[in-house]
Amino acid sequence: MADITGDQRIQSEVLEGLATAVNHRRWFVELALPYLGDNPIEIGSGLGDYAIEWSEHLPRFTATEADPDRLVLLKERMADHPGIDVKQMLLPSPEANGEYSAAVSYNVLEHIEDHVGALRSMKDLVRPGGRVIIIVPAFMFAMSQVDIATGHIRRYTKKTLSAAFIEAGLEIEKIHYANALGLIGYYGATSIFKLAPKEGPMVKVYDTLVLPVTKAAERVVKPPFGQSVFCVGRAPR
């Protein structure tokens, strides 16, 4: 198994800050919903914000976390959500039960050295024809000290993420950039002004005023760049 990369304290601070970006989270929740099926597993659930929202639409949901300390917090929080199972999992994983309808992972793959092996593990977790759903940060030029401190090994383009999916034996069903204005804001905040995306007025203004406009525009036209790459792959039948 691979080591957990990055400063766990800084990762938790960033997660807590981004938890306040409610509109951003709801957008990304909506992106995955059509592909989750009836019994998905999330890899790297963090504080469980996505898991809670997804589980409201599903009969069963499994949340996982690799970091032991964050796993304890995740289990405590999910005690009030009986429809969510919680387990520890680190990718690449030898577990290959093929019981899940989908495996979803947001902003985790960029932490893993063997990202192809991680995608293969996710493929082996799902049923034949099941989906692997990924969001990762986009474009290496936006790699900042925040990325490095939180353990990001790489950022992706559609081309590089597609190549990893194909090498892992997944058929790409959908891939596109998301949150074009977010990339501009992230680059300015982290690379120019050396700020971390923590809770505060900047995140609130972006989430309340900028993101709804971006979301509406990207429903009409998919942008040629974005803060994230969204990809859905299908496991062989």
Side-chain angles (χ1 to χ4, degrees):
M1 288 189 181
D3 294 329
I4 303 169
T5 62
D7 187 313
Q8 304 302 304
R9 179 185 59 82
I10 295 175
Q11 287 179 8
S12 294
E13 288 177 357
V14 170
L15 285 171
E16 288 164 5
L18 294 178
T20 63
V22 176
N23 289 323
H24 182 278
R25 182 171 67 251
R26 286 175 180 166
W27 180 15
F28 281 17
V29 163
E30 291 170 11
L31 286 177
L33 265 178
Y35 307 100
L36 290 177
D38 60 348
N39 180 28
I41 183 171
E42 182 186 16
I43 308 301
S45 299
L47 304 177
D49 295 306
Y50 283 107
I52 289 170
E53 295 209 26
W54 279 321
S55 70
E56 293 174 355
H57 304 272
L58 303 165
R60 296 179 62 192
F61 192 90
T62 300
T64 73
E65 181 53 48
D67 177 62
D69 294 332
R70 214 152 44 227
L71 180 67
V72 172
L73 296 175
L74 183 64
K75 286 182 176 179
E76 290 175 353
R77 189 177 185 192
M78 296 308 162
D80 295 328
H81 300 274
I84 302 177
D85 296 324
V86 179
K87 61 167 63 177
Q88 186 171 27
M89 183 172 289
L90 186 65
L91 295 183
S93 168
E95 185 174 338
N97 50 29
E99 68 175 278
Y100 298 102
S101 57
V104 58
S105 188
Y106 278 10
N107 298 314
V108 172
L109 200 64
E110 68 273 14
H111 294 267
I112 301 173
E113 185 69 43
D114 183 9
H115 62 162
V116 173
L119 288 169
R120 285 196 186 106
S121 292
M122 293 178 71
K123 179 190 68 177
D124 292 340
L125 286 169
V126 304
R127 306 164 189 159
R131 270 65 170 254
V132 173
I133 307 153
I134 295 287
I135 280 181
V136 287
F139 296 104
M140 281 300 295
F141 76 80
M143 180 73 82
S144 67
Q145 289 302 313
V146 173
D147 289 85
I148 294 168
T150 54
H152 292 183
I153 298 170
R154 68 187 76 79
R155 297 176 71 95
Y156 291 82
T157 61
K158 288 197 302 182
K159 182 178 180 180
T160 58
L161 187 58
S162 295
F165 265 68
I166 292 167
E167 188 175 349
L170 290 158
E171 176 189 350
I172 294 172
E173 187 170 340
K174 173 173 283 193
I175 186 166
H176 62 77
Y177 293 113
N179 197 12
L181 292 180
L183 177 64
I184 297 169
Y186 180 84
Y187 179 78
T190 60
S191 296
I192 298 175
F193 296 106
K194 311 300 182 184
L195 301 173
K198 298 180 181 179
E199 181 178 1
M202 182 184 300
V203 171
K204 187 172 183 179
V205 168
Y206 159 77
D207 192 60
T208 304
L209 301 178
V210 178
L211 187 129
V213 176
T214 304
K215 179 181 176 181
E218 293 185 16
R219 279 178 171 169
V220 178
V221 179
K222 291 294 183 283
F225 62 90
Q227 186 178 3
S228 302
V229 189
F230 173 74
C231 188
V232 179
R234 188 187 291 272
R237 290 191 179 277

